[in-house]
Amino acid sequence: MTQAMLYAVFGIVLFGVGLFGVLAIAHVMKKILAINICGVGVFMVFLANASSGVAADFVPHAMVLTGIVVAVAGTAMALSLVVRINALEQQEEDA
């Protein structure tokens, strides 16, 4: 088993664990974490496929770096929405 194959298999396992977390867990913060785990699995599979040839292709590496930045921004937005929703729910309970 080559190193690229090992990364691909582990990425698929991470994606499956994250998908299970999204579908099975009701807590919103844990769902956000599970979505991030899915993203890491996709990044690992993408990089494993990019480096499976003789020479590494730099375009998928750049795309994964861009994906990491987008994932961090999306996670920050999702967490801010969760905090805002919880604040609004607390205001409704207090009123």
Side-chain angles (χ1 to χ4, degrees), residues 29-74:
M29 298 286 279
K30 291 180 182 177
K31 280 189 184 236
I32 294 171
L33 181 65
I35 290 171
N36 283 333
I37 291 172
C38 281
V40 169
V42 169
F43 294 153
M44 285 184 71
V45 170
F46 200 60
L47 288 176
N49 287 335
S51 65
S52 63
V54 175
D57 188 12
F58 297 112
V59 175
H61 292 267
M63 290 176 65
V64 168
L65 283 174
T66 305
I68 290 171
V69 171
V70 171
V72 168

Side-chain angles (χ1 to χ4, degrees), residues 6-20 37-38 41-42 44-45:
L6 185 64
Y7 278 115
V9 168
F10 197 63
I12 291 169
V13 169
L14 276 176
F15 183 81
V17 168
L19 186 63
F20 174 76
I37 291 172
C38 281
V42 169
M44 285 184 71
V45 170

